[in-house]
């Protein structure tokens, strides 16, 4: 990612792109495919180890249908995280549209805001599944046996820990969404004027 951003800056291009696109820039700029087939899914460890079958891997339609079912999760926390991620994506999009000679004086700021928006987007995408997992942890803790005094003590402790995690996840999402809101406010001042409505929707 750092190599990709380095080559983007060398060409005075925006750096608030999705991580995968930045990695593609690095691969092309360093000629990694000139020697052999270089597939991100096989060569980049985070992509190799990425968990399959997550909520974020569903299509938009399938995710929305999953929310609509009578299952309690995914619920508000996961939907809020996804909404926040989309907002961050819009803010990053405007940083990527705001480049060229008209934005030379604010290029460093635009890169900084775009990279921060990408960072927040990635964290919020993570929270889509993490929120549901935290809620599922509460459900699992409630299923623990409580027949003996020892079992009841273990169960109560597990429930308290699970609730702490279930509270912390949406709180983290709210804090990150506030970060997106602050970035949108900054981009409204320096971004491409024709895209200010996208900044507003992102907010």
């Amino acid at each position: 990612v750092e190599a990709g951003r380095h080559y983007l800056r060398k060409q005075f291009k925006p750096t608030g792109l999705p991580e995968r696109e930045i990695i593609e820039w690095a691969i092309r700029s360093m000629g990694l495919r000139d020697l052999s087939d270089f597939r991100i899914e096989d060569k980049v460890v985070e992509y190799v180890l990425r968990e399959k079958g997550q909520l974020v891997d569903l299509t938009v339609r399938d995710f929305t249908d999953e929310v609509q079912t009578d299952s309690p999760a995914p619920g508000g926390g996961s939907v809020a995280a996804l909404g926040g991620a989309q907002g961050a994506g819009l803010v990053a999009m405007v940083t990527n549209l705001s480049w060229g000679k008209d934005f030379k004086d604010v290029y460093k700021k635009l890169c900084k805001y775009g990279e921060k928006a990408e960072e927040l987007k990635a964290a919020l995408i993570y929270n889509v599944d993490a929120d549901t997992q935290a809620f599922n942890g509460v459900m699992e803790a409630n299923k623990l046996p409580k027949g003996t005094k020892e079992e009841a003590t273990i169960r109560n402790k597990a429930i308290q820990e699970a609730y702490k995690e279930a509270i912390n996840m949406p709180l983290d999402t709210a804090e990150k969404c506030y970060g997106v809101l602050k970035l949108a406010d900054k981009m409204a001042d320096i971004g491409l004027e024709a895209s200010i409505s996208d900044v507003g929707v992102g907010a």
Side-chain angles (χ1 to χ4, degrees):
V1 171
E2 283 307 311
R5 285 181 179 151
H6 167 77
Y7 289 111
L8 283 163
R9 288 188 196 107
K10 282 272 191 190
Q11 296 178 56
F12 197 60
K13 290 189 179 294
T15 59
L17 299 168
E19 181 187 80
R20 191 181 182 92
E21 227 175 292
I22 293 171
I23 292 170
E24 278 293 339
W25 265 96
I27 292 166
R28 286 197 301 270
S29 299
M30 293 189 287
L32 296 178
R33 290 203 179 100
D34 295 347
L35 304 171
S36 65
D37 185 31
F38 193 103
R39 292 184 71 249
I40 292 174
E41 291 80 5
D42 299 332
K43 302 288 186 181
V44 179
V45 69
E46 289 84 357
Y47 285 76
V48 173
L49 299 176
R50 187 167 281 175
E51 232 180 286
K52 302 290 187 277
Q54 295 185 311
L55 290 170
V56 293
D57 295 326
L58 298 173
T59 65
V60 174
R61 186 187 307 278
D62 288 344
F63 179 84
T64 309
D65 285 350
E66 187 63 31
V67 170
Q68 189 180 342
T69 66
D70 59 1
S71 169
S78 293
V79 171
L82 181 59
Q86 296 293 322
L90 278 170
V91 173
M93 179 188 85
V94 177
T95 70
N96 295 325
L97 289 170
S98 309
W99 70 287
K101 63 179 191 305
D102 293 342
F103 297 95
K104 198 169 184 181
D105 293 344
V106 290
Y107 174 71
K108 285 186 179 175
K109 272 187 183 178
L110 290 167
C111 286
K112 180 182 167 187
Y113 297 160
E115 289 168 27
K116 184 62 180 174
E118 163 60 20
E119 180 188 316
L120 287 165
K121 184 201 81 178
L124 285 160
I125 285 285
Y126 172 83
N127 282 7
V128 172
D129 280 282
D131 190 272
T132 291
Q133 287 160 8
F135 182 82
N136 288 340
V138 172
M139 305 288 277
E140 290 304 311
N142 276 289
K143 290 178 187 172
L144 289 171
K146 54 182 178 179
T148 68
K149 190 176 178 183
E150 186 184 0
E151 285 176 343
T153 302
I154 291 169
R155 178 177 177 270
N156 286 339
K157 187 177 179 187
I159 289 171
Q160 288 305 308
E161 290 303 314
Y163 270 122
K164 280 180 195 171
E165 185 62 21
I167 290 167
N168 284 333
M169 280 314 308
L171 177 61
D172 184 67
T173 292
E175 287 170 348
K176 287 182 170 55
C177 286
Y178 181 58
V180 174
L181 188 62
K182 288 197 290 186
L183 277 180
D185 186 42
K186 290 173 181 174
M187 281 306 300
D189 291 334
I190 66 168
L192 182 67
E193 198 174 318
S195 294
I196 197 164
S197 60
D198 293 302
V199 172
V201 173

